[in-house]
Amino acid sequence: MGLRRARRALVDSLDPLWPSHLLIHPSYVEIGEHVIRFYQVSGYPREVGPGWLDPLLQWSWPLTIVMHVEPVDTGTMVRSMTRRMVWHRGALAWEQNQGRLSRADRLVALDDAERLRLTLVRGDARMLEVSMIVGVWGRTVDDLNRQGEQLESRAQSLLLLMRVLTYRQLEALKQLVPVMPSLLPRREMDSRAWATIFPFSSDEIMHDGGQVFGVNPRTKALIVVDRFQLASPHSITIGWSGAGKSFAAKLEALRAQYRPLAVSIVDPEGEYCWLRALGAQVWNIGTETGAVSRFPYDPFTVDIHASEEEISRQADFLMRLLRRLAPDFVDALAGDAENALWRAIRQASGRWTLDGGAPVTMADWLRALPANHDRVRNRLETLWQRWRGVVGPSQPLDATFEVFDFSGVVEGMKGAVYLALTEWLMRRMERDARRRLIIFDEAWHLLTDDESASYLEELFRRGRKWGTAVSLLTQDISDFTRSRAAEVCLRNAPMLLLLRQHPESLREVQTLLRLSDAELDVVRQASQGDGLLLLADQRVPIRIVASRREQTLLTGTEE
């Protein structure tokens, strides 16, 4: 049986918000199309630590938790505790005189009371009277019973004693109003224990003006992140093959189109070229795909009108590029080639033309070589022609959504193309005021080479200054331990997405990132698209989710 309280037959502006009816049952309340059952927490653990209540606060089903707290006068509490301690000590003395064993619970209680009394006298804590009511929601009574059993089981695992407020559901319902006084029994708790509960320490991530990255599978709350609100906007995504790295990157690139954020994607495997249908400008680099190959600039040039530091950096890049193209050439002829390059730079700096002077090109470099250096000249010409034959001619580019697809480049040239693209992105970064996200897929091409990793380190260090965020995607955490520069990249990325890992690399991941056993279990048990998000000091589980429209655009299916 229940007591039905119907609404008055009046029409006002709040009618759509009111439930159709309110029905009070002995063990639950029916509110419109939903039902709720209230429990009272009547017992707490003996000792608690920070976050001990998180399993309850992160309950996957809707919960309503009502807490009432009221301070107690310290002097009154100390006198009361002293009287009770005297009584317990007397009881212990009587048991000893009778030759009986003292009750263990009485000994523990007396010891706890003595420590707490000294803490109160020193002023290190205060006593509070606390009452807690938990309401679990459901759509049907069967659903409510099922959720109630799971809630009681969870509470028992936390050493919480909970009981249903039978025939007191209406009284508990009134406690939802903040101004209502609590008429339910209260328990005493010191302020240090209370501090582990309140204020609530939430692991939700919700940045104003941010971008949806996924949901927290525990709380079902959205995870909204704005990279540029962090100390550094860079990120690293690590996941085993098939864990969902590329899908997460594609989803971020797609959602970035709703914001004033330019996106550049360096794609060595041809996974992003279909983004052309979504407005991306795709550059096909390499001749194996059959498409016309082109490159955004000529890497064999030096801008003589840049600063001395920039000229030196560009010259250093040219030598690094030669090392990737032909390591044997650099070992044997590096000194002659570098001397000729600087000779060409000095000669070009002394020229003056109406257009301000052209950059130093490969032709200038070759002319600067002495006549008796035919071997160096022939080798440079061969490398230059090989480069032009593989990547094609240069063509200026300025797009807000672009993909560099060099899946058509032969495997031996991909490292050089990767390095040259990184150099061009860095040069454009300094002259482009737009915020930009640069995604490096299969970043191990750069991280596993000392020369390229140091170049990537420079991009990480300078990117924040110019409003550029760098996102690295790779399969193995060990890619960041093979060089000092790679380790710097890992330390300078406050945002780290850990998807499913290879079983043999889990311990290395835990050691490098200092994960707890519980956090490691999240990564170990992750399915496709699930993982752990490390954002500055926050660590939350994450599930990469897309809307049906996004899923269709990214995969061609709605599943």
Side-chain angles (χ1 to χ4, degrees):
M1 297 180 59
L3 176 63
R4 180 182 294 271
R5 298 188 178 183
R7 294 181 301 155
R8 291 180 299 173
L10 298 176
V11 179
D12 59 36
S13 58
L14 295 179
D15 264 8
L17 303 179
W18 298 116
S20 60
H21 65 277
L22 180 66
L23 191 60
I24 310 298
H25 293 268
S27 61
Y28 66 92
V29 180
E30 186 177 339
I31 305 176
E33 298 179 354
H34 297 81
V35 289
I36 183 173
R37 174 173 293 152
F38 290 101
Y39 295 79
Q40 181 187 8
V41 179
S42 57
Y44 296 87
R46 177 171 174 263
E47 294 183 357
V48 294
W52 70 276
L53 199 60
D54 283 353
L56 185 63
L57 298 178
Q58 296 174 357
W59 183 252
S60 57
W61 287 83
L63 282 182
T64 298
I65 301 178
V66 181
M67 295 183 180
H68 286 266
V69 57
E70 183 176 341
V72 179
D73 179 69
T74 301
T76 302
M77 178 55 62
V78 169
R79 289 191 294 271
S80 174
M81 292 180 66
T82 301
R83 286 195 299 270
R84 282 182 285 179
M85 289 176 64
V86 170
W87 185 89
H88 279 292
R89 290 189 184 279
L92 288 175
W94 181 83
E95 290 174 349
Q96 291 176 357
N97 291 333
Q98 297 295 321
R100 299 179 181 179
L101 291 177
S102 301
R103 289 171 48 184
D105 58 339
R106 182 172 292 167
L107 290 173
V108 172
L110 191 60
D111 181 62
D112 290 344
E114 179 62 26
R115 287 189 288 109
L116 181 57
R117 188 171 70 102
L118 294 177
T119 300
L120 294 176
V121 172
R122 287 195 299 264
D124 294 338
R126 294 194 62 182
M127 289 300 295
L128 307 170
E129 289 185 344
V130 178
S131 68
M132 181 186 300
I133 300 173
V134 179
V136 59
W137 293 83
R139 290 190 173 274
T140 64
V141 176
D142 291 338
D143 185 28
L144 184 65
N145 292 334
R146 187 166 52 253
Q147 297 307 319
E149 291 176 358
Q150 295 182 13
L151 178 63
E152 292 174 13
S153 176
R154 177 68 61 88
Q156 290 176 5
S157 68
L158 298 175
L159 302 181
L160 287 174
L161 299 180
M162 298 177 58
R163 60 183 181 86
V164 180
L165 289 170
T166 306
Y167 291 105
R168 303 189 70 180
Q169 293 290 310
L170 179 59
E171 184 178 343
L173 182 63
K174 293 179 180 180
Q175 303 302 310
L176 299 182
V177 182
V179 297
M180 293 295 294
S182 175
L183 303 178
L184 298 174
R186 302 182 185 184
R187 291 294 302 270
E188 295 168 349
M189 182 183 299
D190 69 274
S191 56
R192 295 177 303 176
W194 175 249
T196 63
I197 305 176
F198 186 86
F200 301 110
S201 58
S202 172
D203 58 0
E204 305 301 339
I205 300 175
M206 188 72 65
H207 292 174
D208 292 338
Q211 181 173 311
V212 176
F213 270 70
V215 299
N216 187 326
R218 292 177 179 171
T219 63
K220 306 298 189 259
L222 291 175
I223 296 178
V224 182
V225 178
D226 183 358
R227 292 171 169 270
F228 296 94
Q229 292 185 22
L230 303 175
S232 175
H234 310 313
S235 69
I236 293 174
T237 301
I238 305 174
W240 199 12
S241 179
K245 301 186 304 297
S246 297
F247 182 82
K250 295 169 188 174
L251 194 59
E252 181 181 8
L254 179 62
R255 290 172 176 169
Q257 303 310 301
Y258 299 106
R259 309 173 64 203
L261 182 64
V263 178
S264 301
I265 302 175
V266 181
D267 178 20
E269 304 297 337
E271 297 184 39
Y272 301 79
C273 58
W274 56 269
L275 289 175
R276 181 186 289 107
L278 303 181
Q281 184 171 349
V282 179
W283 285 66
N284 296 109
I285 303 171
T287 56
E288 291 187 356
T289 60
V292 177
S293 179
R294 50 188 182 148
F295 206 70
Y297 80 120
D298 182 2
F300 291 91
T301 59
V302 177
D303 184 7
I304 61 174
H305 296 286
S307 63
E308 293 184 5
E309 180 183 359
E310 179 63 18
I311 291 175
S312 178
R313 197 188 62 79
Q314 293 184 16
D316 180 66
F317 157 73
L318 268 178
M319 301 309 298
R320 295 188 186 192
L321 181 61
L322 288 179
R323 291 190 188 98
R324 294 308 301 262
L325 289 173
D328 59 327
F329 164 77
V330 175
D331 291 340
L333 307 170
D336 294 337
E338 188 169 7
N339 291 336
L341 175 59
W342 280 105
R343 190 178 301 113
I345 293 174
R346 287 194 297 271
Q347 292 173 358
S349 300
R351 295 197 300 263
W352 182 88
T353 59
L354 292 177
D355 62 357
V360 172
T361 64
M362 176 58 77
D364 298 323
W365 194 355
L366 296 175
R367 283 194 297 268
L369 283 168
N372 59 345
H373 285 63
D374 291 338
R375 183 184 175 190
V376 181
R377 182 179 292 104
N378 293 336
R379 193 74 168 103
L380 284 176
E381 287 180 341
T382 300
L383 293 176
W384 186 37
Q385 293 300 328
R386 181 190 178 196
W387 173 268
R388 295 288 297 272
V390 171
V391 304
S394 61
Q395 179 180 340
L397 167 68
D398 186 17
T400 58
F401 191 15
E402 58 197 13
V403 177
F404 300 98
D405 171 22
F406 55 98
S407 58
V409 177
V410 295
E411 195 64 31
M413 289 281 290
K414 280 189 177 181
V417 173
Y418 222 135
L419 183 62
L421 278 174
T422 306
E423 165 66 16
W424 179 76
L425 291 169
M426 185 178 295
R427 292 185 187 182
R428 185 179 64 174
M429 173 182 69
E430 297 180 355
R431 66 173 184 269
D432 190 352
R434 290 174 297 188
R435 281 186 170 181
R436 183 176 294 272
L437 170 64
I438 303 176
I439 299 174
F440 288 93
D441 202 354
E442 303 297 339
W444 59 267
H445 285 283
L446 291 174
L447 295 170
T448 55
D449 179 76
D450 291 342
E451 294 289 343
S452 301
S454 61
Y455 209 75
L456 191 60
E457 174 194 355
E458 185 177 1
L459 181 61
F460 256 64
R461 293 184 184 277
R462 302 173 67 181
R464 180 180 179 276
K465 176 182 178 182
W466 300 103
T468 297
V470 180
S471 176
L472 303 182
L473 281 65
T474 190
Q475 295 186 14
D476 199 339
I477 188 69
S478 63
D479 293 339
F480 294 94
T481 62
R482 299 181 182 180
S483 67
R484 185 199 61 82
E487 293 178 0
V488 171
C489 294
L490 182 62
R491 289 196 298 268
N492 281 273
M495 181 176 173
L496 185 61
L497 176 59
L498 287 176
L499 299 176
R500 187 178 63 222
Q501 304 291 307
H502 191 284
E504 295 182 358
S505 65
L506 286 173
R507 287 302 170 189
E508 186 177 8
V509 169
Q510 184 180 26
T511 301
L512 285 176
L513 304 179
R514 300 177 181 177
L515 302 182
S516 66
D517 291 339
E519 292 166 345
L520 184 64
D521 286 339
V522 172
V523 180
R524 179 187 291 113
Q525 301 169 7
S527 56
Q528 187 179 40
D530 289 357
L532 185 68
L533 178 64
L534 283 67
L535 196 68
D537 295 331
Q538 294 178 283
R539 301 185 175 191
V540 298
I542 186 172
R543 175 170 297 155
I544 308 300
V545 294
S547 66
R548 290 187 177 181
R549 176 60 175 164
E550 291 171 331
Q551 188 78 21
T552 302
L553 292 173
L554 295 176
T555 64
T557 66
E558 294 187 0
E559 299 181 359

